[in-house]
Amino acid sequence: MTLHTETPIGGGGDTLNPVTASEKNWGWFAIFNIWANDVQSLFGYSLVASLFISFGVSGWTAFAALICAGLFVMFLVNLSGAPGEKYGIPYPVLARASLGTQGAKLPAILRAIVAVFWYGVQVYFASTAVALLIRSLTGISGGTEVLGLTGVDWVSFVIVWAFHIVIFWRGMDWVETFLNIAGPFVYLVMIGLVIVLWQKADGQLLNAAQSIFVEPDATFLTEFNGFVAIVGTMVAYFAAVMINFSDFSRYAKDKPAMVLGNLVGLPFNMVLFSALALLTTAGAAVVYGEAIINPTEIVERTDSVLLSVIAAITFFAATVGINLVANFIPAVNGIANLAPRKINFRLAGLITSGFAFVIGGLWTSFIANFGIGGFVNTLGATLAPIYGIMIVDYYMLRRQTLDVAGLYDEVGGPYRFGNGWNNPAVVAFAIAAVFSVATVWMPALAVLSGYAWVIGALIGGALYYVLAKR
């Protein structure tokens, strides 16, 4: 697949154009791999592994919660992805229908800022896997540090940063190809790690796994509260991709391919991945005497150069995969939407990469210690109402019908709304965003956990429906 560059309907860069029929060639497997790569990061593994030991519930309750979370997220992304699949438009363009041709730039750039930040952070974390590989093969360690990174660290960082540029420079076909390779590869290595731990555990791995399913002091209330907390945690984990899923669904062959890909990519994938995480955690508990939720630490304790090399490649592939899905694509589309006539896919990618180099390069020495996470989380929280507004607008007000040419007409057209801003949507967004941001900063609202995102979306959608009807 190559991104087309013809003059779009009503103007705009090639990044935001409706995809052509020939470009809609992603089958269910490509959609599945979006979710496989989104889960299979180091953070995703640690998150899932921790769910079995952190919420005071039995393993069966944790599994049930993961399945319900997968089904719920699948339902939400089928809603947000349908207009992208039907009309071939990305998230920044879809947002124009509800917020206006100018108003849509606000949520698009908010999503882009969050994505650019985490894109840079993930480039750094992927580079740690390459550094592990170099050290495993050469035995090099230590050295003078510049901004908290040694020479090996900087070489690894530049390699990973350049690798991302190579991928996006070739277009979305290379992105799809990388995701299709990385997803299954990570599973193969995880299965291999389970086999290694099985052998080291002398056949006690299954017994250890079964012990995690036992919670002697559990009550119905503790199980229910843990169930709710796990579902909320996983919904929050996928929240960013849910809002801009049309960035990917627009490449789906048809709606059945999108729906099937979401089905196997979310509930089924989460069960399989969680089972492997459970077995790996159980094996580590038997072999090393403690429940280790960081796969890197497990690999380091095996004292195997071969396994370290394989793991380094795996962690690199997994981290680059989630970076492309959750960060790069929304960042590029959001930046291109600021000046669609001037910024195309490659230029937006270079801008994203430039910011990523600064953020990733300064992560260890400055940004990680600066407390910027609250700022980024605040921007992310403001996106929750946008989801509700877009869904209400598309399904309840427009009855799943959009004027594609009008979406690209920034001078007039049905989505100009006089001044480029749809006032009911802007008011609903502002009011609901106050609640969403408050959940980040007010300890009293921390009890809402991941459900703050869902509540923010519901408030935004409900307010917009009432105001738009008036």
Side-chain angles (χ1 to χ4, degrees):
M1 180 195 317
T2 54
L3 292 172
H4 60 295
T5 56
E6 70 269 21
T7 302
I9 303 172
D14 59 288
T15 308
L16 304 178
N17 287 359
V19 297
T20 63
S22 62
E23 291 174 323
K24 290 178 64 66
N25 56 12
W26 287 24
W28 69 268
F29 186 67
I31 302 298
F32 160 79
N33 278 315
I34 290 174
W35 300 112
N37 283 277
D38 200 17
V39 172
Q40 294 166 2
S41 65
L42 292 177
F43 178 80
Y45 175 93
S46 298
L47 174 63
V48 171
S50 68
L51 296 179
F52 293 104
I53 57 180
S54 299
F55 285 99
V57 299
S58 69
W60 292 115
T61 299
F63 261 120
L66 288 168
I67 293 172
C68 288
L71 290 170
F72 184 53
V73 173
M74 179 187 70
F75 170 73
L76 294 178
V77 296
N78 279 337
L79 289 179
S80 63
E85 183 281 319
K86 182 177 180 179
Y87 294 104
I89 55 176
Y91 156 67
V93 175
L94 174 61
R96 296 174 186 175
S98 54
L99 284 102
T101 52
Q102 297 301 313
K105 292 182 178 181
L106 175 60
I109 196 58
L110 289 176
R111 178 70 180 96
I113 291 173
V114 174
V116 165
F117 176 83
W118 289 117
Y119 178 76
V121 174
Q122 291 282 20
V123 168
Y124 163 74
F125 280 111
S127 73
T128 63
V130 176
L132 172 63
L133 176 62
I134 294 175
R135 291 189 176 101
S136 298
L137 294 176
T138 65
I140 297 175
S141 62
T144 303
E145 293 187 356
V146 177
L147 296 177
L149 302 178
T150 66
V152 170
D153 295 331
W154 274 111
V155 169
S156 303
F157 179 74
V158 172
I159 289 174
V160 173
W161 179 75
F163 180 80
H164 280 79
I165 294 178
V166 171
I167 292 292
F168 83 73
W169 196 261
R170 300 305 298 267
M172 283 299 293
D173 55 337
W174 273 51
V175 173
E176 180 199 7
T177 299
F178 183 86
L179 295 180
N180 288 347
I181 294 173
F185 179 73
V186 172
Y187 268 126
L188 289 175
V189 175
M190 284 190 67
I191 293 172
L193 185 57
V194 169
I195 293 174
V196 170
L197 291 172
W198 184 298
Q199 294 173 341
K200 288 180 174 289
D202 295 325
Q204 299 301 309
L205 189 148
L206 287 181
N207 290 333
Q210 291 171 359
S211 70
I212 296 179
F213 283 93
V214 177
E215 186 62 38
D217 299 325
T219 65
F220 175 80
L221 183 60
T222 60
E223 291 287 303
F224 177 78
N225 289 338
F227 177 91
V228 172
I230 291 174
V231 173
T233 299
M234 295 311 297
V235 170
Y237 179 76
F238 289 114
V241 180
M242 283 194 290
I243 192 172
N244 69 282
F245 190 66
S246 56
D247 286 339
F248 303 98
S249 64
R250 64 179 181 145
Y251 295 103
K253 290 181 179 179
D254 48 37
K255 190 171 183 178
M258 180 191 75
V259 172
L260 179 58
N262 286 337
L263 175 63
V264 296
L266 282 162
F268 176 78
N269 180 56
M270 287 178 66
V271 169
L272 178 58
F273 185 79
S274 299
L276 291 172
L278 170 66
L279 292 174
T280 306
T281 304
V286 173
V287 177
Y288 306 113
E290 59 180 304
I292 304 172
I293 63 173
N294 188 335
T296 305
E297 186 176 348
I298 296 175
V299 171
E300 288 176 349
R301 294 197 183 191
T302 62
D303 294 326
S304 170
V305 175
L306 177 60
L307 185 58
S308 296
V309 171
I310 295 174
I313 297 173
T314 303
F315 298 154
F316 166 77
T319 307
V320 173
I322 190 176
N323 215 15
L324 292 171
V325 169
N327 301 317
F328 177 73
I329 299 302
V332 166
N333 287 343
I335 291 173
N337 193 55
L338 288 176
R341 293 181 181 275
K342 299 179 180 179
I343 304 177
N344 60 17
F345 182 79
R346 288 181 172 178
L347 179 56
L350 290 176
I351 294 172
T352 300
S353 297
F355 283 116
F357 189 90
V358 175
I359 293 170
L362 295 177
W363 174 252
T364 299
S365 62
F366 179 71
I367 297 177
N369 304 313
F370 186 67
I372 199 171
F375 170 73
V376 176
N377 289 336
T378 298
L379 295 181
T382 62
L383 294 173
I386 299 298
Y387 179 92
I389 290 171
M390 289 196 309
I391 295 302
V392 167
D393 183 81
Y394 182 70
Y395 288 96
M396 301 179 68
L397 299 180
R398 303 193 186 279
R399 304 295 181 182
Q400 303 182 52
T401 301
L402 296 175
D403 178 353
V404 178
L407 290 172
Y408 291 87
D409 186 352
E410 297 187 58
V411 178
Y415 307 109
R416 175 69 182 176
F417 300 109
N419 59 357
W421 296 74
N422 185 12
N423 292 332
V426 173
V427 172
F429 164 69
I431 295 175
V434 171
F435 165 80
S436 298
V437 172
T439 63
V440 177
W441 296 101
M442 294 182 62
L445 296 178
V447 68
L448 295 174
S449 186
Y451 282 102
W453 190 92
V454 177
I455 297 173
L458 289 173
I459 293 175
L463 285 175
Y464 174 59
Y465 182 80
V466 172
L467 295 174
K469 279 294 187 180
R470 288 183 178 179

Short mmCIF file of all heavy atoms in Angstrom, two decimals, residues 394-450:
data_model
loop_
_atom_site.label_atom_id
_atom_site.label_comp_id
_atom_site.label_asym_id
_atom_site.label_seq_id
_atom_site.Cartn_x
_atom_site.Cartn_y
_atom_site.Cartn_z
N TYR A 394 -22.15 11.16 14.96
CA TYR A 394 -22.19 10.27 13.79
C TYR A 394 -23.39 9.35 13.81
O TYR A 394 -24.07 9.18 12.78
CB TYR A 394 -20.91 9.45 13.73
CG TYR A 394 -20.83 8.52 12.52
CD1 TYR A 394 -20.68 9.03 11.24
CD2 TYR A 394 -20.94 7.14 12.68
CE1 TYR A 394 -20.62 8.19 10.14
CE2 TYR A 394 -20.88 6.29 11.59
CZ TYR A 394 -20.72 6.82 10.33
OH TYR A 394 -20.67 5.97 9.23
N TYR A 395 -23.72 8.77 14.96
CA TYR A 395 -24.77 7.75 15.01
C TYR A 395 -26.16 8.33 15.32
O TYR A 395 -27.16 7.88 14.75
CB TYR A 395 -24.42 6.69 16.05
CG TYR A 395 -23.30 5.79 15.62
CD1 TYR A 395 -22.00 6.05 16.02
CD2 TYR A 395 -23.54 4.68 14.80
CE1 TYR A 395 -20.95 5.23 15.61
CE2 TYR A 395 -22.49 3.86 14.39
CZ TYR A 395 -21.21 4.14 14.80
OH TYR A 395 -20.17 3.33 14.39
N MET A 396 -26.25 9.31 16.21
CA MET A 396 -27.56 9.78 16.67
C MET A 396 -28.04 11.02 15.92
O MET A 396 -29.25 11.19 15.75
CB MET A 396 -27.50 10.06 18.17
CG MET A 396 -27.12 8.84 19.01
SD MET A 396 -27.03 9.18 20.79
CE MET A 396 -28.76 9.47 21.15
N LEU A 397 -27.12 11.86 15.49
CA LEU A 397 -27.52 13.09 14.81
C LEU A 397 -27.42 12.99 13.30
O LEU A 397 -28.31 13.45 12.57
CB LEU A 397 -26.69 14.27 15.31
CG LEU A 397 -26.80 14.59 16.82
CD1 LEU A 397 -25.91 15.77 17.18
CD2 LEU A 397 -28.25 14.87 17.20
N ARG A 398 -26.35 12.37 12.79
CA ARG A 398 -26.16 12.28 11.34
C ARG A 398 -26.57 10.94 10.76
O ARG A 398 -26.48 10.74 9.54
CB ARG A 398 -24.70 12.60 10.97
CG ARG A 398 -24.25 13.97 11.47
CD ARG A 398 -22.95 14.43 10.88
NE ARG A 398 -22.52 15.67 11.49
CZ ARG A 398 -22.98 16.87 11.14
NH1 ARG A 398 -23.88 16.98 10.17
NH2 ARG A 398 -22.55 17.96 11.76
N ARG A 399 -26.95 10.01 11.62
CA ARG A 399 -27.45 8.69 11.18
C ARG A 399 -26.47 8.01 10.23
O ARG A 399 -26.84 7.46 9.20
CB ARG A 399 -28.81 8.83 10.49
CG ARG A 399 -29.87 9.52 11.34
CD ARG A 399 -30.23 8.73 12.56
NE ARG A 399 -31.28 9.39 13.37
CZ ARG A 399 -31.75 8.92 14.52
NH1 ARG A 399 -31.24 7.79 15.00
NH2 ARG A 399 -32.67 9.58 15.18
N GLN A 400 -25.17 8.09 10.58
CA GLN A 400 -24.08 7.42 9.87
C GLN A 400 -23.92 7.89 8.42
O GLN A 400 -23.49 7.15 7.55
CB GLN A 400 -24.31 5.90 9.89
CG GLN A 400 -24.43 5.32 11.29
CD GLN A 400 -24.60 3.82 11.30
OE1 GLN A 400 -23.81 3.11 10.69
NE2 GLN A 400 -25.62 3.35 12.01
N THR A 401 -24.28 9.15 8.17
CA THR A 401 -24.15 9.72 6.83
C THR A 401 -23.30 10.99 6.89
O THR A 401 -23.61 11.92 7.64
CB THR A 401 -25.53 10.06 6.24
OG1 THR A 401 -26.32 8.87 6.17
CG2 THR A 401 -25.37 10.64 4.84
N LEU A 402 -22.23 11.01 6.10
CA LEU A 402 -21.35 12.16 6.06
C LEU A 402 -21.18 12.65 4.63
O LEU A 402 -21.23 11.86 3.69
CB LEU A 402 -19.97 11.80 6.64
CG LEU A 402 -19.90 11.41 8.12
CD1 LEU A 402 -18.48 10.98 8.47
CD2 LEU A 402 -20.34 12.56 9.02
N ASP A 403 -20.95 13.95 4.48
CA ASP A 403 -20.62 14.56 3.20
C ASP A 403 -19.10 14.65 3.13
O ASP A 403 -18.49 15.55 3.70
CB ASP A 403 -21.26 15.95 3.10
CG ASP A 403 -20.93 16.67 1.79
OD1 ASP A 403 -20.10 16.14 1.01
OD2 ASP A 403 -21.48 17.76 1.57
N VAL A 404 -18.47 13.68 2.44
CA VAL A 404 -17.01 13.60 2.44
C VAL A 404 -16.40 14.86 1.84
O VAL A 404 -15.42 15.41 2.37
CB VAL A 404 -16.54 12.35 1.67
CG1 VAL A 404 -15.01 12.30 1.62
CG2 VAL A 404 -17.06 11.10 2.36
N ALA A 405 -16.95 15.34 0.72
CA ALA A 405 -16.40 16.55 0.11
C ALA A 405 -16.49 17.73 1.08
O ALA A 405 -15.57 18.55 1.16
CB ALA A 405 -17.15 16.86 -1.18
N GLY A 406 -17.59 17.81 1.84
CA GLY A 406 -17.76 18.90 2.79
C GLY A 406 -16.75 18.86 3.92
O GLY A 406 -16.36 19.90 4.45
N LEU A 407 -16.29 17.66 4.28
CA LEU A 407 -15.29 17.54 5.35
C LEU A 407 -13.96 18.18 4.96
O LEU A 407 -13.19 18.57 5.83
CB LEU A 407 -15.07 16.06 5.68
CG LEU A 407 -16.22 15.34 6.40
CD1 LEU A 407 -15.94 13.84 6.48
CD2 LEU A 407 -16.42 15.91 7.80
N TYR A 408 -13.70 18.28 3.66
CA TYR A 408 -12.44 18.84 3.18
C TYR A 408 -12.60 20.28 2.68
O TYR A 408 -11.66 20.85 2.15
CB TYR A 408 -11.87 17.96 2.07
CG TYR A 408 -11.39 16.62 2.57
CD1 TYR A 408 -12.26 15.54 2.67
CD2 TYR A 408 -10.07 16.43 2.97
CE1 TYR A 408 -11.84 14.30 3.15
CE2 TYR A 408 -9.63 15.21 3.45
CZ TYR A 408 -10.52 14.15 3.54
OH TYR A 408 -10.10 12.93 4.02
N ASP A 409 -13.79 20.85 2.85
CA ASP A 409 -14.05 22.22 2.42
C ASP A 409 -13.92 23.14 3.63
O ASP A 409 -14.83 23.25 4.45
CB ASP A 409 -15.45 22.32 1.83
CG ASP A 409 -15.72 23.69 1.22
OD1 ASP A 409 -14.88 24.60 1.40
OD2 ASP A 409 -16.77 23.85 0.57
N GLU A 410 -12.77 23.82 3.75
CA GLU A 410 -12.53 24.68 4.91
C GLU A 410 -13.03 26.11 4.69
O GLU A 410 -13.01 26.93 5.61
CB GLU A 410 -11.04 24.71 5.24
CG GLU A 410 -10.47 23.36 5.65
CD GLU A 410 -9.02 23.47 6.13
OE1 GLU A 410 -8.79 24.22 7.10
OE2 GLU A 410 -8.15 22.82 5.54
N VAL A 411 -13.50 26.40 3.48
CA VAL A 411 -13.98 27.75 3.18
C VAL A 411 -15.47 27.88 3.46
O VAL A 411 -15.93 28.82 4.10
CB VAL A 411 -13.69 28.12 1.71
CG1 VAL A 411 -14.25 29.51 1.39
CG2 VAL A 411 -12.19 28.06 1.44
N GLY A 412 -16.23 26.89 3.00
CA GLY A 412 -17.67 26.88 3.25
C GLY A 412 -18.08 25.48 3.66
O GLY A 412 -17.43 24.85 4.47
N GLY A 413 -19.13 24.98 3.04
CA GLY A 413 -19.51 23.60 3.29
C GLY A 413 -20.32 23.39 4.55
O GLY A 413 -20.41 24.28 5.40
N PRO A 414 -20.90 22.21 4.70
CA PRO A 414 -21.81 21.93 5.81
C PRO A 414 -21.13 21.84 7.18
O PRO A 414 -21.81 21.91 8.21
CB PRO A 414 -22.43 20.58 5.43
CG PRO A 414 -21.39 19.93 4.55
CD PRO A 414 -20.76 21.04 3.78
N TYR A 415 -19.81 21.68 7.19
CA TYR A 415 -19.11 21.53 8.47
C TYR A 415 -18.30 22.77 8.83
O TYR A 415 -17.46 22.73 9.72
CB TYR A 415 -18.20 20.30 8.43
CG TYR A 415 -18.95 19.05 7.99
CD1 TYR A 415 -18.72 18.49 6.74
CD2 TYR A 415 -19.91 18.48 8.81
CE1 TYR A 415 -19.42 17.37 6.32
CE2 TYR A 415 -20.62 17.35 8.40
CZ TYR A 415 -20.37 16.80 7.16
OH TYR A 415 -21.08 15.70 6.75
N ARG A 416 -18.59 23.85 8.14
CA ARG A 416 -17.94 25.12 8.45
C ARG A 416 -18.58 25.75 9.69
O ARG A 416 -17.91 26.41 10.48
CB ARG A 416 -18.05 26.07 7.25
CG ARG A 416 -17.52 27.48 7.49
CD ARG A 416 -16.03 27.51 7.65
NE ARG A 416 -15.56 28.86 7.93
CZ ARG A 416 -14.30 29.16 8.20
NH1 ARG A 416 -13.38 28.22 8.20
NH2 ARG A 416 -13.95 30.41 8.46
N PHE A 417 -19.89 25.58 9.84
CA PHE A 417 -20.65 26.11 10.98
C PHE A 417 -20.43 27.61 11.16
O PHE A 417 -20.32 28.10 12.28
CB PHE A 417 -20.28 25.37 12.28
CG PHE A 417 -20.56 23.89 12.23
CD1 PHE A 417 -19.52 22.98 12.18
CD2 PHE A 417 -21.87 23.42 12.23
CE1 PHE A 417 -19.78 21.61 12.14
CE2 PHE A 417 -22.13 22.05 12.18
CZ PHE A 417 -21.10 21.15 12.13
N GLY A 418 -20.32 28.31 10.09
CA GLY A 418 -20.20 29.76 10.16
C GLY A 418 -18.78 30.24 10.39
O GLY A 418 -18.22 30.98 9.59
N ASN A 419 -18.16 29.81 11.49
CA ASN A 419 -16.81 30.28 11.82
C ASN A 419 -15.81 29.13 11.93
O ASN A 419 -14.69 29.32 12.41
CB ASN A 419 -16.83 31.06 13.13
CG ASN A 419 -17.34 30.21 14.29
OD1 ASN A 419 -17.74 29.06 14.09
ND2 ASN A 419 -17.36 30.79 15.48
N GLY A 420 -16.21 27.95 11.49
CA GLY A 420 -15.32 26.80 11.54
C GLY A 420 -15.41 26.01 12.84
O GLY A 420 -14.76 24.97 12.97
N TRP A 421 -16.21 26.52 13.79
CA TRP A 421 -16.36 25.85 15.09
C TRP A 421 -17.83 25.53 15.32
O TRP A 421 -18.69 26.40 15.16
CB TRP A 421 -15.86 26.74 16.22
CG TRP A 421 -14.39 27.04 16.15
CD1 TRP A 421 -13.77 27.90 15.27
CD2 TRP A 421 -13.37 26.49 16.98
NE1 TRP A 421 -12.42 27.92 15.51
CE2 TRP A 421 -12.13 27.07 16.56
CE3 TRP A 421 -13.35 25.59 18.04
CZ2 TRP A 421 -10.92 26.76 17.15
CZ3 TRP A 421 -12.14 25.30 18.64
CH2 TRP A 421 -10.95 25.87 18.20
N ASN A 422 -18.13 24.30 15.69
CA ASN A 422 -19.49 23.90 16.04
C ASN A 422 -19.70 24.20 17.53
O ASN A 422 -19.24 23.46 18.40
CB ASN A 422 -19.70 22.41 15.76
CG ASN A 422 -21.14 21.99 15.99
OD1 ASN A 422 -22.03 22.82 16.14
ND2 ASN A 422 -21.37 20.69 16.01
N ASN A 423 -20.39 25.28 17.82
CA ASN A 423 -20.48 25.78 19.20
C ASN A 423 -21.05 24.77 20.20
O ASN A 423 -20.51 24.65 21.31
CB ASN A 423 -21.30 27.08 19.22
CG ASN A 423 -20.57 28.22 18.54
OD1 ASN A 423 -19.34 28.25 18.51
ND2 ASN A 423 -21.32 29.16 17.97
N PRO A 424 -22.13 24.03 19.89
CA PRO A 424 -22.61 23.04 20.87
C PRO A 424 -21.55 22.01 21.24
O PRO A 424 -21.43 21.62 22.40
CB PRO A 424 -23.79 22.38 20.13
CG PRO A 424 -24.27 23.43 19.18
CD PRO A 424 -23.02 24.14 18.73
N ALA A 425 -20.77 21.57 20.26
CA ALA A 425 -19.73 20.58 20.53
C ALA A 425 -18.61 21.19 21.38
O ALA A 425 -18.09 20.54 22.29
CB ALA A 425 -19.16 20.04 19.23
N VAL A 426 -18.26 22.44 21.09
CA VAL A 426 -17.19 23.10 21.84
C VAL A 426 -17.60 23.30 23.30
O VAL A 426 -16.81 23.05 24.22
CB VAL A 426 -16.84 24.46 21.20
CG1 VAL A 426 -15.85 25.22 22.07
CG2 VAL A 426 -16.27 24.25 19.80
N VAL A 427 -18.85 23.71 23.53
CA VAL A 427 -19.33 23.91 24.90
C VAL A 427 -19.38 22.58 25.65
O VAL A 427 -18.94 22.49 26.80
CB VAL A 427 -20.73 24.57 24.88
CG1 VAL A 427 -21.31 24.61 26.29
CG2 VAL A 427 -20.64 25.98 24.31
N ALA A 428 -19.90 21.54 24.99
CA ALA A 428 -19.97 20.22 25.62
C ALA A 428 -18.57 19.71 25.95
O ALA A 428 -18.34 19.14 27.03
CB ALA A 428 -20.70 19.24 24.71
N PHE A 429 -17.65 19.92 25.04
CA PHE A 429 -16.27 19.50 25.24
C PHE A 429 -15.65 20.22 26.44
O PHE A 429 -15.02 19.60 27.30
CB PHE A 429 -15.46 19.77 23.98
CG PHE A 429 -13.97 19.72 24.17
CD1 PHE A 429 -13.33 18.52 24.43
CD2 PHE A 429 -13.20 20.87 24.11
CE1 PHE A 429 -11.95 18.47 24.62
CE2 PHE A 429 -11.84 20.84 24.29
CZ PHE A 429 -11.21 19.63 24.55
N ALA A 430 -15.84 21.52 26.52
CA ALA A 430 -15.24 22.32 27.60
C ALA A 430 -15.77 21.88 28.96
O ALA A 430 -14.99 21.72 29.92
CB ALA A 430 -15.51 23.80 27.37
N ILE A 431 -17.08 21.68 29.07
CA ILE A 431 -17.67 21.31 30.36
C ILE A 431 -17.23 19.91 30.78
O ILE A 431 -16.82 19.69 31.93
CB ILE A 431 -19.22 21.39 30.28
CG1 ILE A 431 -19.66 22.84 30.04
CG2 ILE A 431 -19.84 20.83 31.55
CD1 ILE A 431 -21.16 22.99 29.83
N ALA A 432 -17.31 18.96 29.85
CA ALA A 432 -16.94 17.58 30.18
C ALA A 432 -15.45 17.46 30.45
O ALA A 432 -15.03 16.64 31.27
CB ALA A 432 -17.35 16.65 29.03
N ALA A 433 -14.64 18.27 29.79
CA ALA A 433 -13.19 18.20 29.98
C ALA A 433 -12.79 18.62 31.38
O ALA A 433 -11.78 18.15 31.92
CB ALA A 433 -12.48 19.09 28.96
N VAL A 434 -13.59 19.51 32.01
CA VAL A 434 -13.31 19.91 33.39
C VAL A 434 -13.35 18.70 34.30
O VAL A 434 -12.48 18.51 35.16
CB VAL A 434 -14.33 20.97 33.86
CG1 VAL A 434 -14.17 21.23 35.36
CG2 VAL A 434 -14.14 22.27 33.08
N PHE A 435 -14.36 17.84 34.11
CA PHE A 435 -14.44 16.62 34.91
C PHE A 435 -13.26 15.70 34.61
O PHE A 435 -12.62 15.17 35.53
CB PHE A 435 -15.74 15.87 34.62
CG PHE A 435 -15.74 14.45 35.13
CD1 PHE A 435 -15.99 14.18 36.46
CD2 PHE A 435 -15.46 13.40 34.26
CE1 PHE A 435 -15.97 12.89 36.93
CE2 PHE A 435 -15.42 12.10 34.74
CZ PHE A 435 -15.68 11.84 36.08
N SER A 436 -12.95 15.50 33.34
CA SER A 436 -11.87 14.59 32.96
C SER A 436 -10.53 15.04 33.54
O SER A 436 -9.76 14.22 34.06
CB SER A 436 -11.78 14.51 31.43
OG SER A 436 -12.97 13.97 30.88
N VAL A 437 -10.24 16.33 33.46
CA VAL A 437 -8.99 16.85 33.99
C VAL A 437 -8.97 16.74 35.52
O VAL A 437 -7.92 16.46 36.12
CB VAL A 437 -8.77 18.31 33.55
CG1 VAL A 437 -7.57 18.92 34.26
CG2 VAL A 437 -8.59 18.38 32.04
N ALA A 438 -10.12 16.94 36.15
CA ALA A 438 -10.20 16.85 37.61
C ALA A 438 -9.82 15.46 38.10
O ALA A 438 -9.24 15.31 39.18
CB ALA A 438 -11.61 17.21 38.08
N THR A 439 -10.11 14.42 37.31
CA THR A 439 -9.77 13.06 37.73
C THR A 439 -8.26 12.84 37.77
O THR A 439 -7.79 11.93 38.45
CB THR A 439 -10.40 12.02 36.79
OG1 THR A 439 -9.86 12.17 35.46
CG2 THR A 439 -11.91 12.16 36.74
N VAL A 440 -7.52 13.68 37.04
CA VAL A 440 -6.06 13.56 37.05
C VAL A 440 -5.46 14.20 38.29
O VAL A 440 -4.49 13.70 38.86
CB VAL A 440 -5.46 14.21 35.78
CG1 VAL A 440 -3.94 14.16 35.82
CG2 VAL A 440 -5.97 13.51 34.53
N TRP A 441 -6.07 15.30 38.76
CA TRP A 441 -5.45 16.11 39.80
C TRP A 441 -6.14 16.03 41.16
O TRP A 441 -5.54 16.41 42.17
CB TRP A 441 -5.42 17.58 39.35
CG TRP A 441 -4.57 17.78 38.15
CD1 TRP A 441 -5.00 17.92 36.85
CD2 TRP A 441 -3.14 17.84 38.11
NE1 TRP A 441 -3.91 18.06 36.01
CE2 TRP A 441 -2.77 18.02 36.75
CE3 TRP A 441 -2.15 17.75 39.07
CZ2 TRP A 441 -1.44 18.11 36.35
CZ3 TRP A 441 -0.83 17.85 38.68
CH2 TRP A 441 -0.49 18.03 37.34
N MET A 442 -7.38 15.57 41.22
CA MET A 442 -8.11 15.54 42.50
C MET A 442 -8.08 14.13 43.08
O MET A 442 -8.67 13.20 42.50
CB MET A 442 -9.56 16.00 42.30
CG MET A 442 -9.68 17.46 41.91
SD MET A 442 -11.41 17.99 41.73
CE MET A 442 -12.01 17.72 43.41
N PRO A 443 -7.44 13.93 44.22
CA PRO A 443 -7.36 12.60 44.84
C PRO A 443 -8.74 12.01 45.12
O PRO A 443 -8.92 10.79 45.09
CB PRO A 443 -6.59 12.87 46.14
CG PRO A 443 -5.79 14.10 45.85
CD PRO A 443 -6.66 14.93 44.96
N ALA A 444 -9.72 12.88 45.39
CA ALA A 444 -11.06 12.39 45.72
C ALA A 444 -11.69 11.63 44.55
O ALA A 444 -12.57 10.78 44.74
CB ALA A 444 -11.96 13.55 46.12
N LEU A 445 -11.25 11.93 43.33
CA LEU A 445 -11.80 11.26 42.15
C LEU A 445 -10.95 10.10 41.69
O LEU A 445 -11.28 9.45 40.70
CB LEU A 445 -11.94 12.27 41.00
CG LEU A 445 -12.92 13.42 41.24
CD1 LEU A 445 -12.92 14.38 40.04
CD2 LEU A 445 -14.34 12.88 41.46
N ALA A 446 -9.86 9.82 42.41
CA ALA A 446 -8.98 8.72 42.02
C ALA A 446 -9.68 7.37 42.10
O ALA A 446 -9.29 6.42 41.42
CB ALA A 446 -7.74 8.71 42.91
N VAL A 447 -10.74 7.31 42.92
CA VAL A 447 -11.47 6.05 43.08
C VAL A 447 -12.11 5.60 41.77
O VAL A 447 -12.43 4.43 41.58
CB VAL A 447 -12.56 6.21 44.17
CG1 VAL A 447 -13.65 7.16 43.71
CG2 VAL A 447 -13.15 4.85 44.55
N LEU A 448 -12.29 6.54 40.84
CA LEU A 448 -12.91 6.20 39.56
C LEU A 448 -11.99 5.37 38.69
O LEU A 448 -12.44 4.72 37.74
CB LEU A 448 -13.31 7.47 38.82
CG LEU A 448 -14.41 8.31 39.47
CD1 LEU A 448 -14.61 9.60 38.70
CD2 LEU A 448 -15.72 7.52 39.54
N SER A 449 -10.69 5.42 38.96
CA SER A 449 -9.70 4.65 38.21
C SER A 449 -9.88 4.88 36.72
O SER A 449 -10.07 5.99 36.25
CB SER A 449 -9.82 3.17 38.58
OG SER A 449 -8.79 2.40 37.99
N GLY A 450 -9.83 3.80 35.95
CA GLY A 450 -9.91 3.93 34.49
C GLY A 450 -11.27 4.34 33.99
O GLY A 450 -11.41 4.73 32.83
#
